[in-house]
Amino acid sequence: MTRFRYVRHRLSEKLELPEDALGAAYRLQLIGDCVLIGGCKKILKYKSDEITALAKGAEISVRGAHLKCVYFFEGTIEVRGEIEGIGILKK
């Protein structure tokens, strides 16, 4: 773990905040047929069977059928559809 990551981790513990609230990590939530990805920079791939987003430190792929990006604002993406899998490629 680099020194910056260690300091960020300790700071988030002391302030009782998630690390992504400090702007250095991404957040991934799966709720039913909806995936929320926080900390995104841009969408790399957009197809009805796969949507890939570039987040801070990773590429996140949502695979399935009838996928749609219904929300992309201030670094948060919401993908809806028949979700079959999520892949994370760390950078």
Side-chain angles (χ1 to χ4, degrees):
M1 184 180 287
T2 66
R3 180 150 177 77
F4 179 72
R5 286 183 187 169
Y6 175 76
V7 170
R8 181 181 66 227
H9 178 70
R10 295 290 295 159
L11 184 62
S12 72
E13 285 180 342
K14 293 291 182 188
L15 296 175
E16 296 180 358
L17 293 170
E19 285 187 46
D20 67 327
L22 301 175
Y26 61 88
R27 175 177 286 198
L28 178 66
Q29 294 178 300
L30 174 63
I31 305 166
D33 67 345
C34 175
V35 175
L36 295 169
I37 307 168
C40 289
K41 297 178 182 179
K42 64 180 178 177
I43 295 175
L44 299 174
K45 183 190 281 186
Y46 192 106
K47 295 183 176 180
S48 66
D49 62 346
E50 181 178 8
I51 296 176
T52 302
L54 178 63
K56 296 176 182 176
E59 285 183 15
I60 301 172
S61 297
V62 179
R63 289 178 299 281
H66 313 292
L67 299 178
K68 293 180 184 176
C69 178
V70 295
Y71 181 84
F72 187 7
F73 185 69
E74 293 184 352
T76 300
I77 294 176
E78 180 178 342
V79 176
R80 290 189 175 263
E82 298 174 23
I83 298 163
E84 296 171 1
I86 298 172
I88 300 172
L89 176 62
K90 298 245 181 180
K91 295 273 179 174

